[in-house]
Amino acid sequence: MNAVVEYTSVRELRGPLAVVDRVEGVGWDEFVRFTPESGGERHGLVLEVDRGTAVVQVLEDTAGLDPARLRAAFTGTPLRVPVGPGWLGRICNGRGEPLDGGPPVFGTTTSAVSGDPVNPVRREPPAEPVLTGISAIDALTTVVRGQKLPVFSAAGLPHLELAAQIAAQSTAGGQPFCVVFAAMGVTHADAAFVRDALEERSASGELVLLLNTADDPVIERVLTPRIALTVAERLAFFEGRHVLVVMADMTSYAEALREVSAARGEIPARRAYPGYLYSDLASLYERCGRVRGLPGSVTVLPVLTMPAGDITHPVPDLTGYITEGQVVLSRTLHARGVYPPVDALSSLSRMMRKGAGPGRTREDHLDVAAQLLAALARARQVRELADLVGQSALTATDRAYLDFDDAFGRELVDQRRDEARTLEETLERAWRVLLTLPRGQLSMLPARFLDARLPQDGR
Amino acid sequence: MKTSLPAPMTAALEPVRARLLRAAEADAAAMLATADKDAATILRQAEAQAADLLAEARERGAADAEAVRRAAHVRARRTARARELAARRECWEELRRQVIRGVEALRTTEGYPRIEAGLTARAHRLLGPRARISPAPGGGVLAEDETRRVDLSLTQCARRALDGAGPEVEELWTP
């Protein structure tokens, strides 16, 4: 197929779909360019091909088009985008077209947005941290370069603020670092907020921002994370940067996928999402990592809202199967005014041991994290007990755990929305919180760390 | 009814009176001291609270000022960036105009019949020998069959070449 050949046999336009007859050699997901006689250009993706008839989803919708005066050129390949450092500092829509008033993005080469799976044998395990400047994450669920760590949230919680803050202030220990932020299905107000929050990073040429707003075509939303990852892969594995890809909100993405699947007439599975939702999400999340013999890394931070806070909803459920842990936001903490409202006991970074500790972050990091979590678990039990018997019936040690819990939220987790804490500061705060407990309760911390911070006979 | 004690009894009670008076005076002095102490404590607390409020107000004021400064900085930088990008876009569009004009000018050159023959041959290769070929308004050819169309006009050829441009275009605005 050659993009020079245009079909004039568009039979009908139905909603966002165009049916083109008597086509030859057209395949699924092929990118299509529509040229109406009135001028301008629209784009589409082949949803279905049956014998000589192709059904194409038009990205910009079909409003105002006349099938008799419409030409369709099939490009012969799925969508390809130019890739290279030209993306840095640019703001584009969900299909990679500039929104910032600049020229198109030029790349050293083009890549198919569907991406190529990484040969599992060539994968390097994730190592070394990405420091987010968020205490609750850096201390307890450290993000590791090459990891995929989702943020599970619910409507009304500040997940977008958190995602933007992470994108604005993350670093990779002084090594070349950049962020690709793919906003999907966000409102215009949220899109403006993200732009403002990331202005500085964008001006430093360390950000690629793809904005797909809630009123953009759904098929474009399906492309947005793929374009983001394609751009990130080039910046990482060929340009040698550590790239953090933030994708918010993956629930909007999954809903777009459901809509496209319905348009294709596929048999719906759980909650009408397509049966391949798991493998589709995996095809995105598994594009992160490190590749042997190539520099850089791609770390993925998908943000997803759990409808009605339901963690068993298909999107968080399937995401949880693929990703390496999760950061869970809590309504209770949010109601207490703690930002970011990270529920430390429900959050986990499975790769943390590979990216934190001696030689990577700080010698005492893993022990401090383990002790914090153990003490938080005990504090939760104590709080439940206090609900039954009243605080006055608790032992002094138990009351110390309640004080510890309060101090944990106030001193360590809570931080300003523009505050980037160094790991050093985070761990020092963690120590201050831990030392509200009697020394006898800090049994997970090696004696040498405790001796350095406490008098021998003291608490 | 008031009765006065006999003088010897009054004299006998004098030490008791004196004692009671002393005790009352001591109590009063203690109460006064406590009141003074309380007043001093309240004053100190009030001063400390006032100082805290002042510090907090200063901090908040400084934070607000910083936020305003940052917002102004962000606006200025965004405006500068928007101008830079608009200038780049203008460069790119000017390049497109010049390239398209340059390619369209081939129509008036001696080699044009050869170009046209080449484009016609390409149209036949793409649509088959039965394709209807017609000259394009700005030079080049248009070819059609029942369901397909090929635009090999000079303008379209130039556009396609520009669409495939790589980062070398960025040399237009890179020092």
Side-chain angles (χ1 to χ4, degrees):
Chain A
M1 188 60 49
N2 193 310
V4 179
V5 178
E6 295 174 308
Y7 284 88
T8 50
S9 49
V10 179
R11 190 210 314 157
E12 64 170 305
L13 299 170
R14 198 188 311 151
L17 303 181
V19 183
V20 191
D21 281 335
R22 297 170 71 183
V23 295
E24 285 170 23
V26 171
W28 265 41
D29 284 334
E30 203 169 313
F31 192 60
V32 187
R33 233 175 257 123
F34 287 100
T35 315
E37 257 176 35
S38 53
E41 205 175 64
R42 299 193 196 191
H43 309 88
L45 283 183
V46 176
L47 288 189
E48 178 72 272
V49 188
D50 186 15
R51 284 171 284 263
T53 301
V55 177
V56 184
Q57 174 131 18
V58 184
L59 299 185
E60 300 89 343
D61 207 352
T62 55
L65 295 180
D66 176 0
R69 278 179 272 182
L70 187 62
R71 307 191 301 267
F74 294 83
T75 58
T77 62
L79 176 62
R80 295 181 75 85
V81 288
V83 286
W87 280 91
L88 292 168
R90 299 302 303 271
I91 302 171
C92 295
N93 66 13
R95 58 176 187 282
E97 289 172 356
L99 289 175
D100 52 13
V105 178
F106 300 102
T108 40
T109 180
T110 63
S111 293
V113 297
S114 48
D116 295 318
V118 178
N119 181 344
V121 178
R122 290 190 60 204
R123 273 191 189 276
E124 288 270 18
E128 303 292 325
V130 171
L131 293 176
T132 63
I134 307 279
S135 288
I137 294 178
D138 288 348
L140 297 172
T141 51
T142 314
V143 185
V144 183
R145 292 177 209 165
Q147 186 182 8
K148 39 196 178 290
L149 185 67
V151 175
F152 286 2
S153 183
L157 294 183
H159 45 270
L160 198 67
E161 285 89 334
L162 178 62
Q165 190 174 0
I166 291 172
Q169 60 191 34
S170 288
T171 53
Q175 295 196 32
F177 181 80
C178 66
V179 176
V180 179
F181 195 108
M184 290 167 282
V186 295
T187 61
H188 283 262
D190 284 345
F193 162 77
V194 171
R195 272 191 74 173
D196 286 347
L198 299 178
E199 181 69 35
E200 204 157 316
R201 185 130 242 174
S202 180
S204 324
E206 291 178 340
L207 178 81
V208 180
L209 182 54
L210 298 177
L211 290 174
N212 167 270
T213 52
D215 53 346
D216 281 334
V218 284
I219 188 100
E220 194 178 299
R221 202 161 304 147
V222 176
L223 292 175
T224 307
R226 292 183 163 78
I227 294 177
L229 286 161
T230 307
V231 171
E233 281 163 353
R234 184 76 194 184
L235 291 171
F237 304 134
F238 293 88
E239 309 281 341
R241 289 178 177 83
H242 296 289
V243 188
L244 175 69
V245 183
V246 181
M247 303 193 287
D249 171 343
M250 286 306 287
T251 308
S252 292
Y253 166 81
E255 276 161 12
L257 197 68
R258 178 165 65 180
E259 228 174 287
V260 172
S261 167
R264 276 179 167 158
E266 290 163 346
I267 297 169
R270 230 176 359 147
R271 299 223 189 166
Y273 288 101
Y276 52 77
L277 180 62
Y278 173 79
S279 46
D280 187 274
L281 290 173
S283 74
L284 296 175
Y285 298 148
E286 291 288 5
R287 286 173 74 174
C288 70
R290 301 192 308 150
V291 180
R292 190 171 306 148
L294 295 178
S297 63
V298 175
T299 309
V300 173
L301 190 98
V303 178
L304 39 105
T305 45
M306 300 178 287
D310 177 12
I311 204 163
T312 66
H313 183 272
V315 179
D317 185 28
L318 297 177
T319 297
Y321 284 132
I322 308 162
T323 51
E324 292 139 350
Q326 69 279 327
V327 174
V328 179
L329 302 191
S330 138
R331 258 188 210 294
T332 317
L333 280 175
H334 182 57
R336 273 164 53 190
V338 175
Y339 171 87
V342 174
D343 181 353
L345 283 178
S346 305
S347 302
L348 168 74
S349 165
R350 288 183 210 284
M351 292 287 157
M352 182 170 169
R353 290 203 162 266
K354 308 220 178 226
R360 296 201 171 96
T361 51
R362 212 171 82 169
E363 196 186 8
D364 57 349
H365 188 166
L366 292 173
D367 294 318
V368 165
Q371 181 66 74
L372 279 170
L373 288 174
L376 279 174
R378 172 80 189 270
R380 182 171 286 186
Q381 286 174 346
V382 170
R383 207 170 278 287
E384 283 166 6
L385 186 64
D387 288 344
L388 289 175
V389 300
Q391 285 205 18
S392 52
L394 297 176
T395 63
T397 307
D398 282 348
R399 278 200 293 274
Y401 271 102
L402 292 184
D403 293 342
F404 161 83
D405 195 22
D406 290 339
F408 175 80
R410 198 179 53 243
E411 287 273 320
L412 184 65
V413 178
D414 194 33
Q415 69 183 81
R416 289 196 324 274
R417 287 164 199 243
D418 60 349
E419 182 181 2
R421 285 196 194 143
T422 61
L423 185 73
E424 201 65 28
E425 192 186 344
T426 290
L427 292 179
E428 287 312 307
R429 280 172 181 265
W431 268 106
R432 280 208 293 280
V433 171
L434 281 174
L435 293 180
T436 58
L437 290 172
R439 178 170 177 152
Q441 298 298 313
L442 304 175
S443 55
M444 299 181 82
L445 291 168
R448 65 178 197 284
F449 294 146
L450 286 170
D451 291 345
R453 288 173 186 270
L454 285 173
Q456 290 298 310
D457 56 344
R459 284 181 11 130
Chain B
M1 198 171 85
K2 193 176 167 190
T3 53
S4 56
L5 288 170
M9 285 180 77
T10 307
L13 282 173
E14 194 52 44
V16 178
R17 275 202 182 117
R19 186 86 178 260
L20 281 173
L21 191 63
R22 269 203 311 279
E25 277 169 357
D27 274 357
M31 279 171 80
L32 211 57
T34 311
D36 282 347
K37 209 167 140 194
D38 284 353
T41 310
I42 289 168
L43 197 65
R44 248 195 335 272
Q45 280 173 348
E47 278 169 357
Q49 205 175 347
D52 284 352
L53 283 172
L54 199 65
E56 197 187 323
R58 276 209 185 104
E59 204 173 295
R60 211 174 281 174
D64 285 353
E66 174 60 20
V68 170
R69 191 198 61 78
R70 200 179 306 139
H73 187 62
V74 163
R75 263 199 309 278
R77 198 161 46 193
R78 182 174 291 172
T79 311
R81 175 79 177 153
R83 279 188 194 147
E84 184 194 337
L85 287 169
R88 286 183 185 184
R89 183 171 202 103
E90 186 47 44
C91 281
W92 163 243
E93 281 169 0
E94 182 55 33
L95 174 77
R96 281 182 77 93
R97 280 192 290 271
Q98 287 186 20
V99 169
I100 290 170
R101 264 204 305 274
V103 174
E104 283 173 346
L106 289 173
R107 195 182 180 196
T108 56
T109 59
E110 275 181 17
Y112 179 67
R114 197 167 46 83
I115 294 171
E116 194 179 39
L119 292 172
T120 306
R122 173 134 198 257
H124 279 304
R125 266 202 310 281
L126 289 168
L127 296 189
R130 287 192 295 175
R132 297 182 297 278
I133 310 281
S134 57
V141 297
L142 298 172
E144 271 182 284
D145 64 11
E146 292 77 39
T147 57
R148 295 176 300 170
R149 180 181 186 273
V150 167
D151 185 346
L152 292 177
S153 63
L154 291 178
T155 315
Q156 206 53 39
C157 290
R159 282 202 184 124
R160 269 186 220 115
L162 285 162
D163 287 343
E168 63 277 3
V169 175
E170 293 180 345
E171 286 170 20
L172 284 172
W173 50 78
T174 311

